Amino acid sequence: MWKEAVYGVVLLGMGANLLLSLRGLGIVLTAWRSTRWPTALARITRASILERRDEDGPRGYCPDVAYAFSVGASAYGGARIAFGLEKLYGSPGFAHAYDDLLCVGKQVPVHYHPAKPALSVLRPGITRSSFLSLSRALAGLTLLALVLMALPPAIGVPPLLVPAFNALSGAQGSGAWMPVAPP
């Protein structure tokens, strides 16, 4: 019974990572599409650099911006500088790379989703930070796939992925996987 529970937890983790991968892919696609969104003129309403102080780790710095803009008769606000950059902390140089936006009252162009203007961004397009959640999820999926290949023989159940590997290698029905007898 405990073997099935362990296996179930691993499969659940793999499913969660798959969902995170899809979310990360969505961020990358939205970032790519944002370059074709219409623009409006926004006014910076808040601008600062946040500092994170961890007792156990290094300090981190993050640009923090809020802006307001109008589309037609409707007013909107936003805080997204670039997709994937939300609350991403790095070196002081990373945070200061956005100094051109860190001036309250400054007028800047904002790209907004044509059907949902509340979804907006100051720097449209794909950046390295756009790939962070996707790369984390893919790393998690890789780790879980390795666990799925190593864990089942260790607990004495047939691996879930063996039929797929047997089909790819042409070893169908050859008994390629055999459980290990306890010593």
Side-chain angles (χ1 to χ4, degrees):
M1 176 71 175
W2 69 271
K3 294 176 184 181
E4 290 84 6
V6 169
Y7 209 48
V9 168
V10 170
L11 289 176
L12 186 63
M14 192 163 193
N17 263 297
L18 184 60
L19 291 176
L20 288 175
S21 294
L22 293 175
R23 180 183 176 274
L25 184 60
I27 290 171
V28 171
L29 289 173
T30 302
W32 176 67
R33 291 178 182 142
S34 70
T35 59
R36 296 186 307 262
W37 290 352
T39 59
L41 201 55
R43 186 177 56 79
I44 303 293
T45 57
R46 181 183 73 230
S48 65
I49 293 179
L50 302 176
E51 181 179 359
R52 182 187 65 203
R53 298 178 194 191
D54 290 340
E55 293 177 18
D56 300 339
R59 291 182 179 184
Y61 302 88
C62 176
D64 181 42
V65 174
Y67 49 87
F69 64 100
S70 297
V71 176
S74 300
Y76 297 96
R80 181 177 289 112
I81 296 173
F83 286 98
L85 192 67
E86 296 87 5
K87 303 301 178 217
L88 181 64
Y89 287 84
S91 68
F94 163 76
H96 285 291
Y98 300 95
D99 279 349
D100 61 317
L101 300 174
L102 300 178
C103 184
V104 173
K106 183 176 183 175
Q107 301 278 330
V108 294
V110 62
H111 293 250
Y112 62 90
H113 191 287
K116 300 177 263 182
L119 178 58
S120 60
V121 64
L122 295 176
R123 300 246 173 109
I126 297 173
T127 63
R128 285 184 298 204
S129 59
S130 304
F131 288 101
L132 283 178
S133 60
L134 181 61
S135 62
R136 286 178 186 150
L138 291 177
L141 278 174
T142 302
L143 179 63
L144 281 170
L146 292 172
V147 167
L148 279 175
M149 291 187 318
L151 179 66
I155 63 174
V157 296
L160 178 70
L161 301 176
V162 165
F165 290 129
N166 286 345
L168 289 173
S169 68
Q172 298 164 343
S174 66
W177 183 85
M178 301 297 287
V180 177

